[in-house]
Structures are given as structure tokens and as C-alpha cells.
Amino acid sequence: RQDINDRIVIERGSPNDEVYGRIVIEGNRIVGALFVNSSKAVSLIVKLIESGSDISDKHAELANPDVNIASLI
């Protein structure tokens, strides 16, 4: 997790993993993301962005590649 200005960047997995992502949070909402080798994760993150879901209590789940992002929607 990195704090940059008023944003938090959560790493999902590791750059050495087959699937890796970074999720950008501002306030209690996801405002952006970058994923490598996972179009499914991207589509699920887009749903979270569009819904404006409050994810303030879900940082650990977002960082854990073993947690299915669909369970957070």
C-alpha cells in the first residue's frame, strides 16, 4: 500500500505473479486500476468504480489475490 497525495494505491498480488494489479483509491472509492493478465479483474473493478461503492473496509480483500473481486460488488 502506498499513499500518494490524497490517494491510496493498493497492490494486488506481486509483479512476479502471473496476474498483478494496482488499485487507486481516493476517499472511500476506487478511482482507477491497472491489471496485467486479468481482463476479468478489470471488468469487475469497472463495476465497482461505476457503482461508487464505499470500499473503505475492503482494502485487505482488494490486496489479496485469493479473494474474488466479484464478492466485493
Side-chain angles (χ1 to χ4, degrees):
R1 172 182 157 153
Q2 300 174 356
D3 292 351
I4 302 172
N5 297 325
D6 290 332
R7 294 181 174 172
I8 296 169
V9 178
I10 295 176
E11 290 192 62
R12 184 171 174 90
S14 162
N16 298 325
D17 295 340
E18 183 177 322
V19 175
Y20 170 70
R22 296 183 78 167
I23 301 165
V24 182
I25 299 169
E26 188 173 64
N28 297 325
R29 314 263 185 266
I30 297 173
V31 295
L34 167 91
F35 277 86
V36 177
N37 294 330
S38 184
S39 58
K40 183 176 182 179
V42 170
S43 65
L44 294 169
I45 290 292
V46 167
K47 288 181 182 180
L48 286 169
I49 291 170
E50 289 174 343
S51 71
S53 297
D54 181 344
I55 50 82
S56 57
D57 62 342
K58 296 179 173 70
H59 290 203
E61 291 91 339
L62 288 167
N64 184 345
D66 295 326
V67 173
N68 186 342
I69 294 173
S71 69
L72 305 177
I73 296 175

